[in-house]
Amino acid sequence: MIKNVISKKALLYPFLMLATMWFGYLLQVNGFFDSCFGAIIPLLPEGLLGIITSPLLHGSIDHIVSNSIPIAVLMFFLYQFYPIVANKVFVIGWVATGFLLWVLPPIDVFTGNYQYTCTIGASGVVYLLAFFLFFSGVFRWNMKLLTLSLLVVLYYGSLVWGMFPEELFSSMQEPSKISWQAHLAGAVVGSVLAFSFKKSGEKKKKFIWEFPNYYSEKDDKLWQEYKENHPDDFLELPYQKREDIWDHLEDLRKKRS
């Protein structure tokens, strides 16, 4: 009987994250977070609180819905396939992504002008998780985790374009409200954590035939089973004594006489 096919944490933690995000949005709707309070404001001390709170706040119902599904799926993958390092990746990644976003200067890439920006939303965490899951499978070179990496690329591969200013791909009369800096910060932190934790958790299994010049009869299960099922094939043959010419000495004398 197979036990614990799906980890309880892989179901519980995404649910708790979604519940907290929607509770934060409910507070916003009721006026508890006015203006830029709780957002990341780059390079300004009042924006440091946003390192912790900004992923829980969203600007609209469409904004939070668009982040809820990938957060749930990617957190499930993280806690299901990387249970040993999942908490470290999530907590360290959350803080590091927010801090990196805070230190990135909010400069308009086209005009070079300084922009006062307030960044909210969990998209940075989405990028953190997606890039960690992808590169972890690559760095570990484990077939199961590589399959997970391919799934992440299949469904979230288009995220890579979000790491660049939206203005590069379309003519916009107003600056984009999408924070490519948050996406870039999450991607960088996720990639670094994937490399840092590549030796932690599940190891790649190596089979006996993957070791060069190594063979042990005791480890060869097929050979052992054959010996047990066919004992007659391994009976000792009668020993034939080696002929010695001196044993025929008397016969030779008789022939010569």
Side-chain angles (χ1 to χ4, degrees), residues 180-216:
W180 62 270
Q181 295 95 334
H183 301 167
L184 179 62
V188 170
V189 172
S191 303
V192 171
L193 290 178
F195 182 80
S196 301
F197 291 116
K198 66 179 180 178
K199 295 183 179 179
S200 302
E202 183 176 336
K203 307 295 183 181
K204 178 185 176 183
K205 295 181 180 179
K206 295 192 72 174
F207 298 95
I208 187 173
W209 56 80
E210 295 184 80
F211 292 89
N213 303 323
Y214 175 82
Y215 177 78
S216 173

Side-chain angles (χ1 to χ4, degrees), residues 39-41 44-53 99 102:
I40 293 179
I41 308 173
L44 296 180
E46 56 267 31
L48 286 171
L49 175 63
I51 293 175
I52 306 300
T53 59
F99 181 75
W102 184 79

Side-chain angles (χ1 to χ4, degrees), residues 19-202:
T20 307
M21 286 169 53
W22 281 90
F23 179 70
Y25 181 69
L26 181 63
L27 293 178
Q28 285 180 272
V29 172
N30 286 277
F32 283 87
F33 289 90
D34 293 330
S35 187
C36 284
F37 180 72
I40 293 179
I41 308 173
L43 304 178
L44 296 180
E46 56 267 31
L48 286 171
L49 175 63
I51 293 175
I52 306 300
T53 59
S54 64
L56 305 177
L57 307 176
H58 292 81
S60 66
I61 188 70
D62 291 336
H63 189 197
I64 190 172
V65 168
S66 66
N67 280 335
S68 293
I69 295 176
I71 278 286
V73 173
L74 295 173
M75 283 190 67
F76 172 81
F77 286 158
L78 176 67
Y79 281 92
Q80 178 67 24
F81 295 99
Y82 297 92
I84 295 178
V85 299
N87 285 334
K88 293 180 181 178
V89 169
F90 190 71
V91 174
I92 295 174
W94 181 304
V95 175
T97 298
F99 181 75
L100 181 58
L101 175 58
W102 184 79
V103 299
L104 286 175
I107 303 297
D108 188 303
V109 294
F110 296 103
T111 64
N113 296 329
Y114 179 90
Q115 295 177 314
Y116 181 88
T117 59
C118 303
T119 303
I120 57 176
S123 57
V125 179
V126 170
Y127 274 76
L128 157 72
L129 297 175
F131 275 74
F132 173 82
L133 291 170
F134 172 73
F135 281 109
S136 283
V138 174
F139 291 147
R140 295 166 188 258
W141 207 249
N142 177 300
M143 289 300 105
K144 180 177 70 175
L145 301 179
L146 274 174
T147 302
L148 176 61
S149 297
L150 293 176
L151 285 175
V152 171
V153 170
L154 178 64
Y155 288 99
Y156 299 107
S158 60
L159 288 177
V160 68
W161 302 112
M163 297 163 50
F164 303 96
E166 192 177 9
E167 292 86 348
L168 292 176
F169 309 105
S170 61
S171 55
M172 306 176 63
Q173 296 181 354
E174 297 181 357
S176 173
K177 294 182 179 180
I178 298 176
S179 176
W180 62 270
Q181 295 95 334
H183 301 167
L184 179 62
V188 170
V189 172
S191 303
V192 171
L193 290 178
F195 182 80
S196 301
F197 291 116
K198 66 179 180 178
K199 295 183 179 179
S200 302
E202 183 176 336

